[in-house]
Amino acid sequence: MSLGPLELTDGRWGVGDATRSDTHWVEFRPDGLYQHGPDSEGYLVPWSRVMDGIRITWGKHSWSTNSRGMYTFKGRVATRGGGWLHMTLRHPYEDHQLRFDQHTRSYRAVDALRLESLLRLLVTEGKLPLLGDVERVRRAAAYLADGKNRWITGRSLRQAAAEALAAAGPDGP
């Protein structure tokens, strides 16, 4: 099961391709976001440090991803250079990016936008640590992946994320 770059691999949820040893990817753990990479031991960003929204951008370099990305006429993410999860952290305050490499499969743009909306809603509601619960994330991702391709507006994305959060269980995903 997957939702854009979000995929369940070996019993753990992550953003990016976790199946290849030469890739960067971000794992959702009970204690935070863990950045994996081929050239490092990785590092943890605790949930309590994530302060402000999470947004996804596409491209090889984090500094050249000011745009939301390019999409094909068939509604797929056009960029193949990887992606970034951008967020603001507290203590100390800083803008931070976590890198992920894309899977060999293409991503539907609607799935990537729904994933981003879910992440933003969880930050807003103070429920981001619930991403460490494998079963709740499975239910939320399944709900969003099965959603109809209605108009992609901010309002419809927020509504779909709220519905997925409710479908995932009483305390969120």
Side-chain angles (χ1 to χ4, degrees):
M1 175 190 304
S2 65
L3 180 67
L6 177 69
E7 185 173 74
L8 182 65
T9 305
D10 294 331
R12 49 193 181 170
W13 285 99
V15 175
D17 191 349
T19 61
R20 299 187 328 248
S21 62
D22 63 337
T23 61
H24 294 86
W25 64 285
V26 180
E27 179 184 354
F28 295 165
R29 291 185 171 181
D31 52 350
L33 297 163
Y34 192 83
Q35 173 74 72
H36 291 269
D39 52 353
S40 74
E41 293 182 22
Y43 63 92
L44 179 74
V45 175
W47 298 120
S48 61
R49 287 207 61 211
V50 179
M51 184 178 106
D52 194 17
I54 295 177
R55 65 185 175 95
I56 298 172
T57 60
W58 307 100
K60 186 174 181 178
H61 304 288
S62 65
W63 62 85
S64 64
T65 57
N66 290 330
S67 72
R68 299 301 303 243
M70 295 177 27
Y71 302 96
T72 68
F73 287 113
K74 292 185 178 186
R76 300 280 183 188
V77 174
T79 307
R80 298 296 308 153
W84 300 86
L85 294 176
H86 297 261
M87 64 203 74
T88 302
L89 302 180
R90 63 171 63 94
H91 307 301
Y93 294 106
E94 62 180 305
D95 290 328
H96 192 71
Q97 304 86 30
L98 298 174
R99 179 178 175 186
F100 64 91
D101 291 308
Q102 290 174 248
H103 298 84
T104 55
R105 63 180 161 74
S106 64
Y107 304 142
R108 290 187 331 159
V110 67
D111 289 340
L113 293 170
R114 286 178 180 156
L115 171 61
E116 182 180 66
S117 290
L118 178 63
L119 295 173
R120 286 174 175 251
L121 178 65
L122 290 169
V123 170
T124 299
E125 293 193 2
K127 295 182 178 182
L128 200 55
L130 297 175
L131 289 172
D133 186 323
V134 174
E135 287 306 312
R136 288 185 177 156
V137 173
R138 180 189 320 268
R139 290 190 297 268
Y143 181 89
L144 290 170
D146 289 339
K148 295 186 187 281
N149 282 338
R150 55 187 168 202
W151 289 101
I152 305 302
T153 64
R155 183 178 180 189
S156 69
L157 290 168
R158 285 188 300 275
Q159 180 180 350
E163 291 169 1
L165 199 55
D171 295 321

